[in-house]
């Protein structure tokens, strides 16, 4: 007997009425998008972490099928987006990657879709295009915002007061607002409490905005309202850089936690006490792991970030799911693109081992983060990481920041460009 | 019922956790993968100021890392990073990179300079930078297909005295004109 759709629904409806809702969960469940035959790893996110996890798993073991799910058909890098905002780069082309070569060179199956749910028991993810099952799942969704801690900052407000903390249209909007601003205007930037994506990022951005104002709108200034009591990353270097280059342009105000915005009045509120107005306002809100990680129950007691094993990056909340990049708690490794890259490779190696029932390998990782102070000067922070007693720590007596006298800053600006080229090439070829 | 410890451990997954804690120490791949964010996948650099490590000699990498660590060789970042690795770890990475295929770069070079460099290299540099720079004697680094901007920056450091030249190399380099040195670097960058 063949059933058409109409009579099938009738039948199920009658059944449900008679015998309860037992069979109902089947209804509305999306179809399996790509039936799984052999070993399969699904990767959520095609950014700094996801692309590298997908590529390296395939480099290490071609017998594992890798499906990378990303909502966009391209990715725009946050690293160097501050240079675009400062007018040093004229477009975002050099910061944009596509995924075709990951597919062609490594056989990564790229699916453009939104992941809406993860079912750890069934080992499957639900996407806007259908469900995809996995043996192991790697989650690298980056960040989303804790909007409940920034009153008034909704989607509409973001169009007036861009965050530009995910690169793309928001970055272009902030740049446009700076260009359109009258000379003599005030730019306001808000910085959240740590942890957030890219600890030195706000200060690099303030430098780049000041660089633009100095050359193009010399009567203007930028007010930085920092929730933290001080600049915690490369603090000495930023302060010296600002003193040498942007005296009177950058007005840095520590311990000013912005909790509310008024997009109509173009004002922000510091803990309900003090109102600060701006002609251009860049709100960097408090952050947490990407929404999908929260929805899947991967966040820990803080409800914001995902605790993981320090060897495999397997979630301590859900078996078979690994979390890397900004979303995870990686001990001493900061939330940076370089960390995400390094974590992805560590995770990839151990995912391959676990799938094949082999011994795992202890972590060894690196983070380096370059920040531009002017168009020709950059400073860096570097770290080498290892594991001690189950925690990721910096190797003692290694790493650190650039020389305090800026003696290497011109050379580092040249190396930083090659760093970007290399890391984006890693992600896209 | 009293469960035996092993049974209890199996049931609760404690064994699995302790087994996982016994991961092997970092392998050469684990260590060197972390370098690739700057030096490129498998040590093949796509950034003109960043050196490729693929196909570099084991000794040259070991010596470079040792000198970065001690501060004898100046570096913007490698000193801070080299301090994070033991000698054995450096050796493991050096061996891995030395086994990678030479990374062939595509860069804009000057044909006339390449030709001039080709005529100068054997007698001036060939004693140590052997096989057209594809290999190096002892700890001499390979330079074939290396990025020109990187080599120019290193040569500038040598000439300013920031990076110390080996005595015998200095004897050759010192009397040479800027143009000849430039031609030699174009030559080495062109070797495939
Ligand atoms: C202004 C700025 C400057 C920075 N500069 C530097 C720097 O110089 N150096 C550095 O190392 N780091 C820098 N960073 C930090 C760096 O951008 C992040 O640490 C890095 O992107 C983290 O990688 P990730 O994989 O965790 O997230 P991302 O790179 O953001 O990737 C996440 C991807 O997942 C996708 N995604 C999320 N949820 C879903 C879903 N449900 N379904 C489908 N797809 C989904 C997203 O679309 C995105 O493409 C900077 C950040 C900012 C904001």
């Amino acid at each position: 007997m063949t059933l058409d759709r109409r009579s099938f629904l009738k039948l199920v409806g009658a059944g449900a009425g008679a015998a309860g809702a037992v069979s109902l969960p089947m209804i509305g469940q999306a179809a399996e998008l790509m039936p799984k035959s052999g070993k399969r790893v699904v990767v959520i996110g095609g950014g700094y972490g996801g692309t590298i996890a997908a590529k390296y798993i395939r480099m290490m073991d071609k017998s594992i099928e890798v499906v990378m799910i990303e909502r966009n058909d391209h990715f725009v890098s946050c690293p160097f987006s501050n240079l675009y905002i400062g007018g040093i780069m004229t477009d975002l082309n050099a910061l944009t990657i596509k995924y075709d070569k990951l597919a062609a060179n490594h056989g990564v199956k790229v699916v453009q879709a939104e992941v809406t749910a993860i079912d750890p028991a069934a080992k499957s993810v639900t996407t806007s295009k259908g469900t995809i099952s996995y043996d192991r799942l790697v989650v690298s969704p980056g960040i989303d915002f804790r909007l409940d801690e920034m009153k008034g900052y909704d989607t509409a407000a973001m169009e007036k007061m861009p965050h530009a903390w995910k690169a793309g249209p928001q970055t272009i909007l902030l740049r446009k607002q700076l260009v359109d601003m009258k000379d003599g205007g005030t730019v306001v930037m808000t910085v959240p409490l740590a942890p957030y994506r890219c600890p030195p990022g706000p200060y690099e951005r303030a430098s780049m905005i000041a660089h633009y104002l100095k050359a193009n709108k010399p009567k203007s200034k930028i007010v930085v309202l920092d929730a933290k009591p001080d600049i915690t990353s490369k603090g000495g270097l930023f302060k010296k850089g600002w003193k040498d280059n942007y005296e009177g342009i950058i007005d840095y105000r520590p311990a000013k936690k912005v909790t509310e915005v008024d997009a109509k009045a173009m004002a922000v509120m510091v803990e309900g006490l003090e109102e600060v107005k701006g002609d251009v306002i860049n709100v960097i809100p408090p952050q947490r792991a990407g929404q999908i990680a929260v929805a899947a129950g991967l966040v820990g007691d803080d409800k914001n970030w995902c605790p993981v094993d320090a060897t495999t990056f397997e979630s301590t909340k859900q078996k078979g799911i690994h979390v890397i990049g900004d979303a995870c708690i990686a001990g001493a490794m900061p939330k940076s693109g370089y960390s995400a890259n390094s974590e992805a490779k560590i995770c990839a190696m151990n995912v391959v081992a676990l799938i094949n029932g082999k011994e795992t390998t202890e972590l060894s990782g690196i983070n380096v983060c370059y920040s531009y102070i002017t168009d020709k000067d950059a400073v860096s922070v570097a770290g080498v990481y290892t594991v001690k007693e189950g925690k990721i720590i910096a190797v003692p007596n290694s790493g650190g920041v650039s020389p305090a006298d800026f003696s290497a800053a011109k050379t580092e600006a040249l190396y930083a460009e090659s760093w970007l080229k290399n890391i984006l090439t890693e992600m896209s070829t | 019922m009293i469960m035996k410890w092993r049974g209890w451990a199996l049931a609760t997954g404690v064994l699995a956790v302790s087994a996982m804690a016994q991961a092997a120490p970092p392998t050469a791949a684990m260590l060197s993968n972390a370098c690739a964010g700057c030096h490129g996948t498998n040590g093949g650099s796509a950034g003109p100021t960043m050196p490729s490590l693929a196909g570099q000699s084991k000794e040259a990498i070991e010596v470079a890392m040792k000198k970065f660590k001690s501060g004898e060789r100046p570096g913007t970042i490698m000193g801070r990073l080299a301090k994070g690795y033991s000698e054995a770890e450096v050796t493991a990475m050096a061996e891995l990179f030395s086994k990678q295929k030479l990374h062939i770069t595509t860069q804009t070079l000057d044909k006339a300079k390449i030709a001039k460099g080709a005529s100068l290299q054997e007698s001036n540099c060939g004693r140590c930078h052997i096989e057209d720079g594809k290999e190096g004697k002892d700890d001499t680094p390979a330079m074939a297909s290396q990025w020109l901007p990187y080599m120019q920056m290193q040569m500038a450091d040598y000439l300013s005295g920031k990076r110390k030249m080996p005595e015998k190399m200095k004897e050759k380099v010192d009397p040479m004109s800027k143009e000849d040195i430039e031609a030699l670097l174009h030559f080495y960058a062109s070797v495939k």
Side-chain angles (χ1 to χ4, degrees):
Chain A
M1 188 190 91
T2 53
L3 280 180
D4 64 29
R5 199 178 121 83
R6 251 249 212 77
S7 41
F8 171 72
L9 282 178
K10 247 192 196 157
L11 198 75
V12 172
V22 180
S23 63
L24 268 184
M26 289 305 292
I27 305 287
Q29 192 165 62
E32 177 81 19
L33 188 63
M34 36 206 311
K36 185 170 89 67
S37 47
K39 298 174 274 188
R40 179 193 280 168
V41 175
V42 168
V43 177
I44 301 178
Y48 270 82
T51 53
I52 297 296
K55 165 173 161 172
Y56 273 74
I57 289 171
R58 290 288 299 171
M59 277 170 54
M60 291 178 213
D61 186 349
K62 281 271 181 293
S63 76
I64 299 174
E65 181 190 18
V66 175
V67 181
M68 187 181 89
I69 313 169
E70 161 62 49
R71 62 164 71 99
N72 299 311
D73 70 349
H74 67 283
F75 176 77
V76 184
S77 165
C78 282
F80 274 62
S81 65
N82 287 331
L83 277 77
Y84 168 80
I85 289 168
I88 295 163
M89 300 177 100
T90 51
D91 55 50
L92 295 175
N93 293 344
L95 308 188
T96 304
I97 60 162
K98 297 249 179 194
Y99 304 117
D100 49 320
K101 292 211 183 80
L102 277 187
N105 297 347
H106 303 283
V108 173
K109 293 182 180 162
V110 182
V111 174
Q112 190 190 344
E114 176 82 24
V115 179
T116 52
I118 300 172
D119 185 341
K123 293 196 169 184
S124 103
V125 299
T126 305
T127 80
S128 48
K129 289 189 174 155
T131 65
I132 304 177
S133 49
Y134 62 80
D135 294 305
R136 283 190 177 266
L137 177 67
V138 178
V139 182
S140 191
I143 52 137
D144 272 306
F145 301 120
R146 272 145 56 195
L147 294 180
D148 50 327
E149 294 174 34
M150 187 63 76
K151 218 174 133 197
Y153 198 61
D154 53 17
T155 323
M158 286 177 198
E159 294 305 311
K160 282 198 79 183
M161 304 173 160
H163 53 77
W165 220 240
K166 296 182 185 186
Q170 278 276 308
T171 317
I172 293 170
L173 178 62
L174 179 56
R175 170 68 189 156
K176 186 177 180 309
Q177 291 185 347
L178 288 171
V179 171
D180 292 345
M181 189 182 81
K182 64 174 193 292
D183 190 9
T186 299
V187 182
V188 173
M189 173 196 282
T190 76
V191 185
L193 287 173
Y196 56 86
R197 154 178 286 184
C198 197
Y203 313 111
E204 180 188 56
R205 176 170 294 172
S207 307
M208 291 295 93
I209 291 175
H211 172 80
Y212 170 73
L213 297 178
K214 187 180 175 177
N216 299 282
K217 292 174 181 158
K219 295 203 276 290
S220 316
K221 65 171 186 167
I222 170 167
V223 176
V224 181
L225 301 172
D226 195 343
K228 299 193 297 306
D230 204 351
I231 302 177
T232 41
S233 177
K234 303 179 233 184
L237 291 167
F238 279 114
K239 281 181 187 157
K240 175 166 165 52
W242 290 356
K243 194 167 186 311
D244 291 351
N245 297 287
Y246 307 123
E247 188 93 76
I249 301 176
I250 300 180
D251 176 357
Y252 177 71
R253 303 183 194 169
K256 298 279 183 192
K257 186 174 164 194
V258 171
T259 49
E260 191 176 341
V261 306
D262 184 341
K264 225 180 247 142
M266 281 301 279
V268 299
M269 203 73 92
V270 180
E271 290 184 292
L273 298 169
E274 182 189 349
E275 191 188 66
V276 182
K277 289 195 169 219
D279 298 288
V280 172
I281 300 183
N282 173 207
V283 175
I284 306 172
Q287 297 154 34
R288 57 172 165 67
Q291 176 55 31
I292 187 67
V294 180
L298 297 170
V299 293
D301 295 340
D302 66 2
K303 306 250 191 309
N304 293 324
W305 307 106
C306 308
V308 293
D309 176 84
T311 299
T312 60
F313 286 84
E314 184 164 359
S315 166
T316 57
K317 310 289 286 184
Q318 302 284 1
K319 276 206 171 324
I321 302 180
H322 302 249
V323 188
I324 57 172
D326 290 348
C328 78
I329 302 171
M333 291 180 84
K335 298 191 186 305
S336 75
Y338 205 106
S339 290
N341 173 290
S342 190
E343 289 158 16
K345 294 165 182 171
I346 298 157
C347 177
M349 183 176 273
N350 285 315
V351 161
V352 169
L354 289 169
I355 279 199
N356 293 318
K358 297 260 165 61
E359 190 182 26
T360 56
T361 305
E362 232 173 62
L363 164 152
S364 174
I366 289 182
N367 172 58
V368 173
C369 191
Y370 289 105
S371 299
Y372 281 81
I373 306 280
T374 75
D375 55 341
K376 293 188 181 65
D377 301 275
V379 292
S380 62
V381 58
V384 180
Y385 301 91
T386 185
V387 170
K388 197 176 178 191
E389 285 152 16
K391 291 213 160 55
I392 302 175
I393 60 156
V395 175
N397 306 315
S398 72
V401 299
S402 306
D405 61 0
F406 276 62
S407 54
K410 301 258 183 293
T411 318
E412 289 208 272
L414 300 176
Y415 283 133
E417 282 179 39
S418 285
W419 165 75
L420 181 79
K421 189 95 179 81
N422 269 321
I423 205 156
L424 290 180
T425 302
E426 271 228 282
M427 292 162 67
S428 60
T429 62
Chain B
M1 189 193 92
I2 300 166
M3 232 190 210
K4 288 247 173 66
W5 180 83
R6 204 184 138 76
W8 171 82
L10 272 175
T12 55
V14 166
L15 263 194
V17 170
S18 61
M20 244 164 58
Q22 278 169 18
T27 55
M30 170 63 81
L31 294 160
S32 60
N33 280 346
C35 317
C38 282
H39 288 287
T41 305
N42 291 327
S45 175
T49 56
M50 206 68 92
S52 281
L53 301 178
Q56 186 53 279
S57 89
K58 178 171 169 260
E59 291 79 5
I61 295 175
E62 284 175 328
V63 168
M65 291 295 277
K66 193 181 263 171
K67 288 183 178 175
F68 281 134
K69 199 171 182 172
S70 71
E72 186 185 334
R73 177 171 169 187
T76 53
I77 198 113
M78 284 311 301
R80 286 179 265 160
L81 293 174
K83 289 193 181 95
Y85 300 94
S86 69
E87 237 171 85
E89 288 174 328
V90 167
T91 299
M93 288 191 277
E95 201 163 277
L96 186 147
F97 283 122
S98 72
K99 285 184 185 145
Q100 302 292 337
K101 257 211 335 262
L102 193 75
H103 178 70
I104 304 300
T105 48
T106 329
Q107 42 186 332
T108 318
L109 301 167
D110 185 313
K111 279 213 176 86
K113 286 181 186 167
I114 294 173
K116 189 175 172 194
S119 72
L120 292 168
Q121 62 95 10
E122 188 61 54
S123 55
N124 289 291
C125 326
R127 211 181 113 196
C128 311
H129 297 283
I130 48 183
E131 302 279 340
D132 295 346
K134 280 187 189 154
E135 281 171 40
K137 188 171 156 282
D138 304 327
D139 60 353
T140 306
M143 298 195 293
S145 220
Q146 188 56 282
W147 284 105
L148 179 65
Y150 172 71
M151 288 195 286
Q152 289 170 329
M153 285 163 83
Q154 292 304 312
M155 194 46 92
D157 277 357
Y158 276 140
L159 294 174
S160 74
K162 249 172 97 180
R163 182 174 172 187
K164 203 168 158 283
M165 245 188 279
E167 233 16 83
K168 289 274 183 311
M169 174 169 150
K170 196 169 153 58
E171 277 169 25
K172 294 286 187 189
V173 168
D174 274 354
M176 292 187 112
S177 69
K178 261 201 196 130
E179 289 72 24
D180 284 354
I181 293 173
E182 177 72 3
L184 279 163
L185 299 186
H186 275 258
F187 166 73
Y188 286 118
S190 77
V191 176
K192 305 222 145 102

